[in-house]
Amino acid sequence: MAETAFQTQYRQELIAEFEEGMSWLRQTTVTEAMIKGNSAVFLVAGSNGATAVTRGVNGLIPARSDNNTQNTITLVEWHDLVRKTRFNIFGSQGDQRRLMQETTRKVLNRRLDADIIAALDAATSNLGSAAQISLALVMKALTTLGENEVPVDEEDSMFAVATPAVRGYLSQIPEFNSADYVEAKALVGPVRRMKRWAGFNWIFHPNLTGVGTASEKCYFYHRDAVGSAFDNANLNTAVGYDEEQDYSFARASSFTGAGLIQQTGIVQMLHDASAI
């Protein structure tokens, strides 16, 4: 006869898996909330660098045309569908219906950022070969954008999208932490996903291309360099139950797209994270 009868206790409250659950990058772009169609056109207009002229010998002022460039971003439909039988929900630990709804939302949010990251990766201007982040490198990016006539003084529209490794190195730079240079103490309190420093609004994103390698792709840019379209009127999140087949489902669907609309407004930084 056994002297013990051990019991296994299963916690009913589920614990969320570590994964991105929101879009961090859409706020860094020029957004268009579409309600109809499969593409959005972003107009970039200006004088094309024209200079003032004097009156001609015939007494007339030479005329010119403005430069109008239309950039088309095509939307793609994206879906995430989770389906579970009633028996699987009944026999499984935790609130499986709530889990289905939460994960579909997270999947769509990651899709939004994936589209924007793909657009950022199309940048043609860069700061040279891969190197560890430094104040000098940040100033080089700021200078490059300034030389391209980007209004770098518009701090609310200037963004630096970098990896967790960049944040790790920045935290070791005195100018990033010292109270002599910053208002918020970087090493006090929780780690911040967003921080304003050196003329940029920094966003540290774990899903950038090459993250954790010797050639991470990071970016400095003005909001007007990137466009994103999202059909928020037709965002569809369906939750239901099929009586015939006895299963529950959760589906999230959206139409999204992103693209570069001004190459001169973005510069890529290849970051070497191999040592950290």
Side-chain angles (χ1 to χ4, degrees), residues 195-247:
K195 180 178 176 66
R196 178 169 289 190
W197 179 70
F200 293 97
N201 297 287
W202 292 77
I203 296 179
F204 302 102
H205 204 293
N207 294 332
L208 295 182
T209 303
V211 65
T213 71
S215 188
E216 299 179 323
K217 291 184 177 181
C218 306
Y219 299 93
F220 299 90
Y221 58 95
H222 189 284
R223 186 194 309 275
D224 291 349
V226 187
S228 64
F230 180 76
D231 187 8
N232 57 0
N234 291 308
L235 174 65
N236 190 291
T237 53
V239 178
Y241 172 74
D242 186 288
E243 292 186 352
E244 180 182 11
Q245 295 297 325
D246 194 19
Y247 66 78

Side-chain angles (χ1 to χ4, degrees), residues 130-195:
Q132 290 181 7
I133 189 68
S134 64
L135 179 58
L137 206 54
V138 176
M139 290 301 103
K140 183 177 181 180
L142 191 65
T143 300
T144 301
L145 293 173
E147 291 173 345
N148 290 341
E149 300 189 41
V150 174
V152 294
D153 57 301
E154 297 179 357
E155 192 175 25
D156 288 342
S157 295
M158 299 298 298
F159 293 94
V161 175
T163 63
V166 169
R167 178 175 57 200
Y169 281 115
L170 285 176
S171 297
Q172 302 174 57
I173 297 177
E175 292 84 358
F176 187 77
N177 298 308
S178 175
D180 293 334
Y181 304 98
V182 297
E183 296 178 358
K185 298 179 180 179
L187 300 181
V188 177
V191 174
R192 295 174 175 84
R193 286 289 295 265
M194 298 184 65
K195 180 178 176 66

Side-chain angles (χ1 to χ4, degrees), residues 22-35 40 42 73 75 108-117 120 156-157 159 161 194 203 205 221-224 226-233 235 254-259:
M22 65 172 290
S23 172
W24 291 93
L25 301 183
R26 193 161 188 266
Q27 61 187 304
T28 73
T29 68
V30 179
T31 59
E32 175 64 21
M34 295 206 41
I35 58 174
F42 293 78
I73 293 178
L75 278 72
L108 278 197
N109 281 332
R110 289 199 298 272
R111 183 69 255 172
L112 287 172
D113 275 8
D115 285 345
I116 296 172
I117 291 171
L120 297 177
D156 288 342
S157 295
F159 293 94
V161 175
M194 298 184 65
I203 296 179
H205 204 293
Y221 58 95
H222 189 284
R223 186 194 309 275
D224 291 349
V226 187
S228 64
F230 180 76
D231 187 8
N232 57 0
L235 174 65
S254 66
F255 309 147
T256 66

Side-chain angles (χ1 to χ4, degrees), residues 53-62:
V53 297
T54 188
R55 192 179 295 274
V57 295
N58 59 358
L60 300 178
I61 300 173

